[in-house]
Amino acid sequence: MQTYIVAFTVALAAAYFITPRVKDLAIKAGALDAPDARKVHTSPIPRMGGLAIYFGFVLAVLSSMHVNHEILGLLLGGTVILAVGIIDDLKQLSAKVKLLGQIAAAIVLILFDIRIEWLTNPFGEMIYVNYLSIPLTILWVVSLTNTVNLIDGLDGLAAGVSTIASITILLVALEQNFWTVAILTAALAGSALGFLQHNFNPAKIFMGDTGSMFLGYMLAAVSVLGTVKSAATIALFVPIIALGLPIMDTAFAIIRRYMSGRPIFKPDKGHLHHRLLAMGLSQKQAVLLMYVISGCLGISAIALTEVSKVYAALILLAIILVAFFGAKKIGVLNNNDGVLKSTDSLKSH
C-alpha cells in the first residue's frame, strides 16, 4: 500500500475516534461557543475540536514517514500554532496577541530552514527573493493561517474546504513525485475529513481557532516545504488557487469595508456564506455549494500545472472574472449588510 494512503487512513481514523474525547474535554474546560447576533447556531457548542485534527495529523506523520530536520520543524511550528488556538478558544485572545503567536509559529519554520527562497516566474527563470525570504515566509504563513481561520463560519465549511485543498495539493505532488508533500497533505486531508464527520451540519463540535489556524498554518507550511524541495509549480500558486474561495472571500471583505469607509478589521455579515444564507439557502446547501466551488478551483489548480502558459493565463483570468461578477451578483461587494459592534466575533458560528 502506498505510504500516502496509509497516512490518509491513519489520520482519518484517528481524528474520527478522538473527536468525541476532545468534545468531552472541551465541555469540561468550558470551551463553548455561545450564540450571538452574528453567529448562526442557536445553542452553545463545544469548540477546540482542532485538537483531534492535530492528533490525527501527527499520528499519521509519525506512522508513515521519517521525522527529519524539516518535518520536526513543521511539527513544532504546528504545535505552537495549536497552543495559540487552544488559548484563544479558552480565553479569547486579542487580535494583536493572536497575530504575534502566528508570527512566532512562522518563525519556527524559518529556524528549521523552511522558507520561501524563490518565486515562480511564468516568463522566465526563477525569481530569488534573497533578503526578503524571511518576511515573505512570515507573510505567507500568517496570511493563509488567517484565511482558513476567517472562513470557519458554517458547520463543516473550513474542514471541507481544507480537505479539498489538501487533496488538490496531494494530487499535484503525486504527479510531480514530491512524496514528502504528498504524505503530509494526505495526512492533513485525512484528519480534516475524519473531524468533518462530527462537524457537518448539525455540528456536534466546532474546530475553533485551534483547528482553523492549524489547518491554515499546515497548508502554508507544506507549500513552503514544496519550494524548498523544488522550483516546480507545486510551490505556491497551487495552494493559492486551491484555497481560492477563502482567499477571495477575505479579499472581497477588505474591498467591501474599504469602499464603505469602515475599518478593514471591523466584522460584518457580508461574507459569502452570509449572503448565501440571506438568499434563502440552508446551512447545508450553502456549505455544499461552497464545496463545489472549491472543487472547481481545485481542478483548475491541477489543470494549471498541465497546460501551457497561455492556457494557464486564460484559466486564471476566467477564475478572476467569474469570482468578481459572481461576488457582485450575490452582493458580497455591497455594503448594505450593517456594521456589527466591535465586541462581535470574527466568526459566524
Side-chain angles (χ1 to χ4, degrees), residues 170-182 229-230 234:
L170 165 64
L171 293 175
V172 176
L174 291 175
E175 176 66 25
Q176 303 195 11
N177 295 319
F178 294 165
W179 296 107
T180 299
V181 174
K229 297 297 182 184
S230 172
I234 183 64

Side-chain angles (χ1 to χ4, degrees), residues 10 86 132 135 145 171-172 180 189 210 225 231 269 272 277 293 314 318 328:
V10 170
I86 291 173
L132 292 176
T145 298
L171 293 175
V172 176
T180 299
T210 305
L225 187 61
K269 297 192 72 170
L272 176 59
L277 293 177
I293 295 172
L314 290 174
K328 196 80 171 169

Side-chain angles (χ1 to χ4, degrees), residues 254-310:
I254 293 172
I255 295 170
R256 178 177 65 248
R257 293 165 190 172
Y258 176 79
M259 292 176 62
S260 62
R262 303 175 188 170
I264 289 176
F265 296 103
K266 186 86 166 181
D268 58 29
K269 297 192 72 170
H271 287 285
L272 176 59
H273 53 272
H274 290 129
R275 303 310 304 162
L276 292 176
L277 293 177
M279 291 170 61
L281 272 65
S282 67
Q283 272 209 60
K284 285 183 180 179
Q285 290 171 333
V287 169
L288 290 173
L289 176 58
M290 294 175 81
Y291 285 176
V292 171
I293 295 172
S294 292
C296 292
L297 288 168
I299 294 171
S300 299
I302 295 170
L304 287 174
T305 68
E306 302 293 332
V307 300
S308 67
K309 294 175 182 177
V310 174

Side-chain angles (χ1 to χ4, degrees), residues 41-347:
H41 64 286
T42 56
S43 60
I45 302 291
R47 56 190 174 195
M48 211 165 69
L51 268 174
I53 297 174
Y54 170 81
F55 284 121
F57 176 80
V58 172
L59 287 173
V61 170
L62 295 179
S63 65
S64 58
M65 65 191 306
H66 172 66
V67 179
N68 57 22
H69 181 75
E70 292 166 341
I71 301 303
L72 178 60
L74 190 126
L75 293 177
L76 287 176
T79 303
V80 171
I81 202 67
L82 180 89
V84 175
I86 291 173
I87 296 171
D88 188 52
D89 283 338
L90 290 172
K91 300 183 179 298
Q92 291 291 294
L93 295 173
S94 68
K96 184 181 295 185
V97 172
K98 191 154 56 171
L99 176 61
L100 289 174
Q102 294 167 354
I103 293 173
I107 290 174
V108 172
L109 296 178
I110 294 168
L111 293 175
F112 281 82
D113 298 320
I114 302 173
R115 64 183 72 182
I116 299 170
E117 296 179 339
W118 50 64
L119 299 174
T120 301
N121 179 4
F123 304 106
E125 297 180 355
M126 304 305 298
I127 301 173
Y128 290 86
V129 295
N130 300 320
Y131 60 88
L132 292 176
S133 175
I134 291 176
L136 188 60
T137 301
I138 293 174
L139 177 63
W140 170 258
V141 173
V142 170
S143 296
L144 253 65
T145 298
N146 282 296
T147 293
V148 177
N149 182 234
L150 290 175
I151 201 176
D152 184 27
L154 296 178
D155 296 353
L157 182 55
V161 170
S162 297
T163 300
I164 293 168
S166 298
I167 291 174
T168 299
I169 301 172
L170 165 64
L171 293 175
V172 176
L174 291 175
E175 176 66 25
Q176 303 195 11
N177 295 319
F178 294 165
W179 296 107
T180 299
V181 174
I183 294 169
L184 291 170
T185 48
L188 201 60
S191 58
L193 188 60
F195 174 77
L196 182 59
Q197 311 305 310
H198 304 275
N199 182 236
F200 196 73
N201 184 263
K204 303 176 184 68
I205 183 173
F206 295 154
M207 67 171 63
D209 281 6
T210 305
S212 58
M213 288 201 300
F214 176 75
L215 287 171
Y217 177 88
M218 292 309 304
L219 285 167
V222 170
S223 59
V224 172
L225 187 61
T227 70
V228 174
K229 297 297 182 184
S230 172
T233 50
I234 183 64
L236 297 181
F237 81 82
V238 168
I240 290 175
I241 302 301
L243 286 169
L245 182 64
I247 288 174
M248 288 186 287
D249 192 39
T250 301
F252 290 144
I254 293 172
I255 295 170
R256 178 177 65 248
R257 293 165 190 172
Y258 176 79
M259 292 176 62
S260 62
R262 303 175 188 170
I264 289 176
F265 296 103
K266 186 86 166 181
D268 58 29
K269 297 192 72 170
H271 287 285
L272 176 59
H273 53 272
H274 290 129
R275 303 310 304 162
L276 292 176
L277 293 177
M279 291 170 61
L281 272 65
S282 67
Q283 272 209 60
K284 285 183 180 179
Q285 290 171 333
V287 169
L288 290 173
L289 176 58
M290 294 175 81
Y291 285 176
V292 171
I293 295 172
S294 292
C296 292
L297 288 168
I299 294 171
S300 299
I302 295 170
L304 287 174
T305 68
E306 302 293 332
V307 300
S308 67
K309 294 175 182 177
V310 174
Y311 284 115
L314 290 174
I315 291 174
L316 287 173
L317 179 61
I319 291 173
I320 293 171
L321 290 175
V322 170
F324 178 78
F325 287 111
K328 196 80 171 169
K329 181 72 174 178
I330 66 174
V332 172
L333 290 173
N334 295 343
N335 55 25
N336 59 355
D337 49 275
V339 181
L340 298 177
K341 297 177 182 178
S342 60
T343 54
D344 284 337
S345 170
L346 287 174
K347 299 295 188 64

